[in-house]
Amino acid sequence: MFERVFLTILVWGLILEILCVIYFSSTPSKFEFAYSLFLLIINSIALMLVLRKLRSSIKGSRIESTK
């Protein structure tokens, strides 16, 4: 249950970070662009880790259900 809530927050954060990077790429302020790019990378890594954990828990539940 907790993973699904966390996954939803991370997906929305990823969408917003992509929009911020697109917006700041056309502005002259380079600090905000670099900071948004850094947050996008951190958010993507966290999203991949949560997805990996969910995938392993689903595989584990399938193995247990077949026994």
Side-chain angles (χ1 to χ4, degrees), residues 7-66:
L7 184 66
T8 304
I9 292 170
L10 286 174
V11 168
W12 277 105
L14 184 68
I15 292 169
L16 292 174
E17 285 300 325
I18 290 171
L19 292 175
C20 285
V21 166
I22 291 170
Y23 173 74
F24 284 131
S25 66
S26 63
T27 61
S29 59
K30 294 300 176 191
F31 173 75
E32 285 85 1
F33 175 73
Y35 185 66
S36 292
L37 194 61
F38 173 73
L39 289 177
L40 179 68
I41 292 169
I42 295 296
N43 195 358
S44 300
I45 292 170
L47 187 62
M48 285 188 288
L49 291 174
V50 169
L51 286 173
R52 182 183 298 164
K53 184 176 180 182
L54 277 174
R55 191 175 77 189
S56 67
S57 68
I58 290 172
K59 283 184 180 180
S61 66
R62 284 185 185 170
I63 292 172
E64 291 175 4
S65 66
T66 58

